[in-house]
Amino acid sequence: MTDRIAIVTGSARGIGAATARRLAADGMAVAVLDLDEAACAGTVKEIADAGGRAIAVGADVSNSEQVKAAVERVAADLGGPTVLVNNAGVIRDNLLFKMTDDDWDTVLGVHLRGAFLMSRAVQKYMVDQRYGRIVNLSSSSALGNRGQVNYSAAKSGMQGFTKTLAIELGPFGVTANAVAPGFIATDMTASTAARVGLPFEDFQQAAAAQIPVRRVGQPDDVANTISFLVSDGAGFVSGQVIYVAGGPLC
């Protein structure tokens, strides 16, 4: 995998950071991309300290010009990217009657528009090399979740987006899959706990009691699944949605 160049969006922390570290451990050079380039320094240092190669890239994935510039920089500094993990995401949770236009537009913009812009910018490098792997982060919330009509719509949309990418790009040696995490202990789930007024530890314990494996997920659980999907061994897996949730959800 030493000739593979990967971009992981939203990788300054959480699932994205765990994924960037795992792909670097797999031998890839990794572009750690997030809204604030300075915030990527920690992930880049961890990769470098472990003997890997990474660069920090700042970009708003919902901004077409910033995406174009970011991908061109990665190609110039590391090489043409053939692995893309669309992980960048935000939440603006609220019940429908309280949700603002900005709550809706921000979440759909980062998740769906961001994945579209990044995939469009990267696909030409994949097509040229007749090889590519795209993994989009969906969520168990795609099945519906109170207070997350915007996030649920975005994550459900990611699944249809993924399946269409698999159809369009498959003839060029490019696979596209989605990973849909359940409860993963991250800053994002901690903010959800705060929204509903529960200490994060209590929130995790309540969630674990409902999960068949009786624990909540960790960022590495998702990163390990992504590692397989972007590997050479996953070349016949495409257009799939894999729930990483400790049990069956659908």
Side-chain angles (χ1 to χ4, degrees):
M1 303 292 281
T2 55
D3 60 341
R4 303 295 184 213
I5 311 301
I7 300 176
V8 183
T9 70
S11 50
R13 60 181 181 173
I15 291 172
T19 300
R21 290 192 298 266
R22 175 57 196 265
L23 298 191
D26 290 342
M28 300 183 193
V30 181
V32 178
L33 189 151
D34 215 299
L35 183 62
D36 178 8
E37 183 169 324
C40 301
T43 305
V44 170
K45 184 178 186 302
E46 288 174 338
I47 291 171
D49 288 349
R53 187 160 63 115
I55 62 170
V57 180
D60 176 354
V61 297
S62 68
N63 182 294
S64 182
E65 290 304 313
Q66 290 188 34
V67 165
K68 181 175 182 291
V71 172
E72 289 177 349
R73 179 182 163 195
V74 173
D77 291 356
L78 295 178
T82 53
V83 173
L84 171 64
V85 180
N86 284 310
N87 169 75
V90 296
I91 54 172
R92 296 290 187 272
D93 294 350
N94 225 325
L95 295 174
L96 176 63
F97 76 99
K98 295 180 180 179
M99 187 167 289
T100 67
D101 292 359
D102 187 60
D103 291 336
W104 176 270
D105 291 342
T106 297
V107 171
L108 272 290
V110 173
H111 292 270
L112 276 178
R113 179 179 169 84
F116 158 66
L117 291 176
M118 288 298 305
S119 299
R120 186 178 65 180
V122 168
Q123 59 83 31
K124 62 182 179 181
Y125 297 97
M126 299 179 176
V127 170
D128 286 347
Q129 298 184 54
R130 307 294 294 187
Y131 179 94
R133 300 283 187 265
I134 298 174
V135 177
N136 299 313
L137 268 291
S138 180
S139 168
S140 59
S141 291
L143 303 175
N145 194 34
R146 179 180 172 85
Q148 289 193 317
V149 68
N150 49 1
Y151 187 75
S152 296
K155 291 308 192 182
S156 179
M158 290 289 266
Q159 297 187 14
F161 176 70
T162 298
K163 291 177 183 295
T164 301
L165 287 186
I167 294 168
E168 290 190 8
L169 299 178
F172 304 99
V174 181
T175 67
N177 292 285
V179 172
F183 191 110
I184 308 295
T186 64
D187 290 346
M188 188 176 286
T189 46
S191 68
T192 301
R195 176 175 62 86
V196 299
L198 282 176
F200 191 36
E201 186 62 33
D202 293 347
F203 193 56
Q204 292 181 75
Q205 290 178 0
Q210 304 300 315
I211 298 172
V213 300
R214 292 298 186 268
R215 70 170 177 88
V216 300
Q218 299 298 323
D220 283 344
D221 291 313
V222 182
N224 291 338
T225 303
I226 293 171
S227 173
F228 167 69
L229 291 173
V230 302
S231 71
D232 288 348
F236 203 57
V237 181
S238 194
Q240 303 306 304
V241 180
I242 300 177
Y243 284 87
V244 181
L249 292 182
C250 63

